[in-house]
Amino acid sequence: MESNYHTLKRVDNQLIVITHLSQMLSYITGFGGLLVPLILWLTQKDKIEGMDEHGKSIVNFQLSMIIYAIICVPLIFLIGLGILGLIIIGIISFVFPIINAIKASNGEMPSYPLSIRFIQ
C-alpha cells in the first residue's frame, strides 16, 4: 500500500510540474500559457494535493504579466521604456515557470515575483 502512495504522489507532482511548464505555451500560441494552466487547475484542484495553491499562483502570475505587458505598450512611446519592460517581462515569464516547476517536482510551494494576488 505504501508504494502506491509514493507512486500516486509522484504522479501528482508531475501534473503540477506540467501545469507550471504549460505556461510556456504562450511562446507558441500566444494565449495557451493562461488557458491550459487555468483548465488544469479548475479541473484538478479538488483531486490533487497542492494543485489549488499552485494553480492560484500560476493564474495570478499570468494575469499580472498580461497587465504589465498592457501597461508597457503605451510606455514604448516614452523613450522606449516599454520595450525594456516587455523584455524584462519576457525573461521573467520564461524563467520563473521553469524554476517553479523544479520546486513543484521537489514538493515545494511556488513563488512568482511581481505577482498580484487576484485569486486568494
Side-chain angles (χ1 to χ4, degrees):
M1 183 72 177
E2 190 172 331
S3 65
N4 286 342
Y5 174 77
H6 290 293
T7 303
L8 195 79
K9 185 75 168 172
R10 192 180 87 220
V11 171
D12 293 345
N13 282 346
Q14 286 178 352
L15 185 58
I16 292 172
V17 168
I18 290 168
T19 306
H20 283 284
L21 293 178
S22 68
Q23 296 175 78
M24 299 298 191
L25 288 171
S26 289
Y27 293 101
I28 299 169
T29 64
F31 58 86
L34 175 62
L35 291 180
V36 173
L38 180 64
I39 291 168
L40 286 171
W41 169 56
L42 290 174
T43 59
Q44 302 298 316
K45 67 180 179 178
D46 296 327
K47 298 175 185 173
I48 296 178
E49 184 179 338
M51 178 62 88
D52 193 39
E53 272 305 309
H54 285 270
K56 287 177 185 177
S57 294
I58 292 167
V59 172
N60 285 334
F61 177 69
Q62 284 295 310
L63 290 174
S64 299
M65 292 301 109
I66 290 168
I67 289 171
Y68 295 141
I70 291 170
I71 291 170
C72 284
V73 171
L75 292 178
I76 291 172
F77 300 110
L78 295 173
I79 316 169
L81 290 176
I83 293 172
L84 180 62
L86 289 173
I87 291 170
I88 291 169
I89 289 169
I91 292 169
I92 289 171
S93 295
F94 187 80
V95 171
F96 279 92
I98 295 169
I99 290 171
N100 285 304
I102 294 168
K103 283 184 173 184
S105 71
N106 295 327
E108 299 175 35
M109 284 294 136
S111 61
Y112 285 102
L114 305 172
S115 191
I116 303 167
R117 294 193 58 127
F118 296 103
I119 302 168
Q120 299 286 331

